[in-house]
Amino acid sequence: MRHLTLNETFMAVLAGLVALSIAVTLLGAWLSRRTIDPVRQQRLALVNSRMRASWSIVAMFSVAFALGTGALLFVFALASFFALRNFVSLTPIRPADHWALVLAFYVITPLHYVLIGLGNIGTFTVFIPVYVFLLLPVVMALKQDNERYLERVAKVQWGLMICVYSISHAPAILQIGSPEVGERGPLLLAYFLLVLYVADLAQVITSAALGGTALKSDPNKTWAGVMVAATVAGLLGTALWWMTPYRWWQSTLMSIIVASSGFLGSVVLSSVKKSLGARDWDTGIVGVRAVLDRLDALAFAAPVFFHLTAWLYSR
């Protein structure tokens, strides 16, 4: 039996993703017309909103995959840039923080992705959490503004960790240097994104359909929806094991870990928003959801997936 080429595999995955998106879009519209419960209507509105946004995301990443590693890195770098902008928009900033933010947006973020493109994974893993974490407090201290200094430094550093360092672990999957991964890097990234996308979608769909006890951090999700999503992710991981260097049972466990860590990421960043007195990360455009609202799950799941895979195949 002939094995599918890399391009054929991508086309098959893309076709399946488009079919799934069409099915969920139609299902969401049908349920919205038949639901009278206001809580479920709110949750279904979230499902429909995510599906509308997903079409542009699927199209963007499909083009990036087709164009190669450089295009993917550029797309993720843009995502990190705008996610960091969302994060900074809700945190108190003083004039003395100007140069630290200029460094974060226009020097640190692109340089971090250049390190991934060069395959310098050793430097990539310590660049922000070691060198940048030591540099930024110095830059901010030199301005001699001590009002809420520690809080301001911590917020810029944490924004870089979540929006740049954590999110960048997704394209870094392409650079896992081991014989087992080899040329499977693009397939492994597609596997990770697909499992995370389906798990997140399953959470909001089943929460809207099944109801139950809502999460305090996110009233649009319920514990029933979270459990169903983890199960769906496990089944999907088992079905897609052939895209990975894992054995089938390792793929099952890894997909459940991806779904669980993604859920924890959405909970944490939702708590951050609430602590700042906001419902959503600010975009500056009424009715438009922010990049960080879309990537909150990926920000936690990507580092876990990257480092677990690197650990499994670097021994």
Side-chain angles (χ1 to χ4, degrees), residues 46 120 227 268:
L46 176 62
N120 198 336
M227 294 299 104
V268 168

Side-chain angles (χ1 to χ4, degrees), residues 197-231:
Y197 170 78
V198 171
D200 185 63
L201 197 59
Q203 283 181 23
V204 292
I205 291 175
T206 54
S207 295
L210 301 178
T213 304
L215 304 179
K216 290 184 179 180
S217 59
D218 189 347
N220 294 311
K221 295 180 181 179
T222 66
W223 284 113
V226 172
M227 294 299 104
V228 170
T231 303

Side-chain angles (χ1 to χ4, degrees), residues 174-196:
L174 298 170
Q175 301 288 14
I176 295 177
S178 70
E180 292 85 357
V181 176
E183 296 182 354
R184 290 177 178 265
L187 284 181
L188 197 58
L189 176 58
Y191 164 89
F192 165 74
L193 294 175
L194 187 58
V195 169
L196 188 66

Side-chain angles (χ1 to χ4, degrees), residues 60-233:
M60 180 176 62
F61 277 103
S62 298
V63 172
F65 268 111
L67 294 178
T69 301
L72 271 173
L73 286 172
F74 180 74
V75 168
F76 275 103
L78 279 181
S80 285
F81 181 92
F82 286 109
L84 184 59
R85 180 182 178 277
N86 297 153
F87 188 91
V88 169
S89 68
L90 292 186
T91 56
I93 299 297
R94 294 177 60 82
D97 304 333
H98 173 75
W99 284 110
L101 292 174
V102 168
L103 282 174
F105 280 100
Y106 300 108
V107 178
I108 294 168
T109 298
L111 182 56
H112 185 70
Y113 278 92
V114 167
L115 290 173
I116 300 174
L118 294 175
N120 198 336
I121 298 302
T123 305
F124 150 78
T125 55
V126 298
F127 175 61
I128 287 179
V130 177
Y131 300 109
V132 172
F133 265 43
L134 295 175
L135 173 66
L136 285 181
V138 173
V139 172
M140 296 174 74
L142 289 175
K143 303 299 291 185
Q144 301 186 47
D145 183 352
N146 297 324
E147 184 175 345
R148 302 174 70 179
Y149 170 76
L150 179 60
E151 179 182 348
R152 287 160 37 220
V153 169
K155 286 180 177 178
V156 176
Q157 288 179 329
W158 214 69
L160 278 170
M161 280 295 292
I162 293 297
C163 302
V164 181
Y165 185 72
S166 294
I167 288 175
S168 69
H169 277 76
I173 293 168
L174 298 170
Q175 301 288 14
I176 295 177
S178 70
E180 292 85 357
V181 176
E183 296 182 354
R184 290 177 178 265
L187 284 181
L188 197 58
L189 176 58
Y191 164 89
F192 165 74
L193 294 175
L194 187 58
V195 169
L196 188 66
Y197 170 78
V198 171
D200 185 63
L201 197 59
Q203 283 181 23
V204 292
I205 291 175
T206 54
S207 295
L210 301 178
T213 304
L215 304 179
K216 290 184 179 180
S217 59
D218 189 347
N220 294 311
K221 295 180 181 179
T222 66
W223 284 113
V226 172
M227 294 299 104
V228 170
T231 303
V232 169

